Amino acid sequence: MSDYGDFARFYDKFTKNVDYPARARYFDAIIQKYNPNAQLLLDLACGTGSLSFELEPFGYDIVAVDNSYEMLSVAMEKREMLESEVLFLCQEMSDLDLFGTIDATVCALDSINHILDEDELMDVFKKVSLFSNKGAVFVFDVNTVYKHKEVLADNCFVYETEETFCAWRNALDKDGVTVDISLDFFDKTENDGLYCRYNSDFSEKAYDIEYLKDMLSQTGFEVKAVFDEDSFLPIRRDSERAIIVAIKK
């Protein structure tokens, strides 16, 4: 799993490019298409809760789960400020344990790619299935094999805000689908000209779409659609992110 300890304090700064309101509208449209009576929603691997808070006004009762205490600490601060009723739980995805069953699950921002072990991924799908009502929607996004090989690969990226500088370094493993990621953050201190350095290392693995569909089928889901990122168009050979929509049988 990911090491998000130091990353948590910078996560919202460096995901400002994510249009959470638009993504919430998109996920809601998918849920309403396949299960218009959905009420109780699980936000799996919720991070700092940004998507959960955007989905809440659509009328869902939301349970949000993440394995990072640091991420959830930020989420709880935002929850108090927004006077939200989202329930946050600190759990591993593969050890999901809810109080009852749910009508929809969303898992966003390539969280599935952080699961490197195929048996663990199967356990995640089994757990989501176990706590899903019949007809429940399971929608998640994944980075594609194309993105890992051609975009992330062995490349480096630089991001900068007024207070923080981030150096992002990738290394593509010999398997051709796993990328080891190292993030170095340089955060400006109150002392003029001085920065404090933080590091976060983790890996992501890309899975073949047909493999994911087969795994979902084995765990009680029927895949209804595979879309290109944030659209209702079919994925292409060079799609960087796929949206998978499955229904509990």
Side-chain angles (χ1 to χ4, degrees), residues 4-249:
Y4 268 159
D6 287 331
F7 191 23
R9 74 180 68 194
F10 305 110
Y11 187 80
D12 285 341
K13 289 182 181 180
F14 289 97
T15 56
K16 285 184 177 180
N17 63 316
V18 178
D19 190 340
Y20 284 107
R23 176 148 282 218
R25 291 192 298 270
Y26 175 68
F27 282 135
D28 176 65
I30 291 175
I31 294 168
Q32 292 304 310
K33 175 179 174 63
Y34 293 100
N35 188 8
N37 295 318
Q39 181 65 36
L40 187 55
L41 182 147
L42 169 65
D43 184 1
L44 191 62
C46 64
T48 61
S50 296
L51 182 61
S52 300
F53 298 128
E54 293 295 343
L55 283 165
E56 194 174 19
F58 287 97
Y60 299 109
D61 296 321
I62 299 176
V63 179
V65 172
D66 201 274
N67 74 328
S68 168
Y69 287 103
E70 294 85 0
M71 288 286 193
L72 292 178
S73 177
V74 176
M76 290 300 292
E77 291 177 5
K78 292 157 69 174
R79 180 184 187 273
E80 183 176 355
M81 180 181 65
L82 295 170
E83 298 182 344
S84 166
E85 295 185 2
V86 173
L87 173 64
F88 290 99
L89 300 175
C90 189
Q91 297 178 357
E92 294 282 357
M93 287 191 281
S94 56
D95 293 326
L96 183 69
D97 188 12
L98 303 180
F99 305 110
T101 52
I102 44 89
D103 305 311
T105 298
V106 299
C107 187
L109 297 181
D110 51 271
S111 296
I112 293 296
N113 295 107
H114 288 267
I115 303 171
L116 307 181
D117 181 80
E118 295 175 6
D119 290 336
E120 183 180 357
L121 181 57
M122 178 69 84
D123 288 340
V124 172
F125 288 166
K126 285 179 179 177
K127 285 291 189 178
V128 175
S129 179
L130 176 64
F131 290 102
S132 292
N133 291 317
K134 181 180 178 180
V137 182
F138 182 20
V139 53
F140 61 91
D141 64 38
V142 287
N143 285 339
T144 62
V145 172
Y146 171 85
K147 181 175 182 179
H148 277 218
K149 287 185 175 181
E150 304 296 334
V151 179
L152 297 180
D154 293 310
N155 294 319
C156 298
F157 306 94
V158 171
Y159 299 96
E160 187 173 8
T161 68
E162 291 184 2
E163 301 87 12
T164 309
F165 178 89
C166 174
W168 174 332
R169 294 169 294 164
N170 295 329
L172 183 65
D173 285 5
K174 292 181 179 179
D175 64 7
V177 293
T178 303
V179 176
D180 299 318
I181 299 169
S182 180
L183 302 176
D184 284 303
F185 298 97
F186 298 86
D187 197 37
K188 186 180 293 185
T189 68
E190 295 180 357
N191 297 321
D192 290 342
L194 296 180
Y195 286 77
C196 188
R197 180 181 178 180
Y198 302 90
N199 175 263
S200 184
D201 296 321
F202 53 92
S203 299
E204 294 194 20
K205 181 177 179 178
Y207 293 91
D208 180 80
I209 299 299
E210 292 302 317
Y211 181 78
L212 291 174
K213 290 167 68 174
D214 180 65
M215 190 175 287
L216 286 163
S217 178
Q218 292 182 52
T219 53
F221 289 102
E222 179 183 357
V223 175
K224 290 292 187 179
V226 181
F227 298 123
D228 191 25
E229 180 175 11
D230 294 348
S231 77
F232 292 96
L233 300 174
I235 58 171
R236 311 178 311 274
R237 182 195 63 80
D238 59 348
S239 291
E240 295 185 20
R241 192 186 299 270
I243 307 292
I244 298 178
V245 183
I247 305 296
K248 175 66 182 292
K249 299 176 186 176

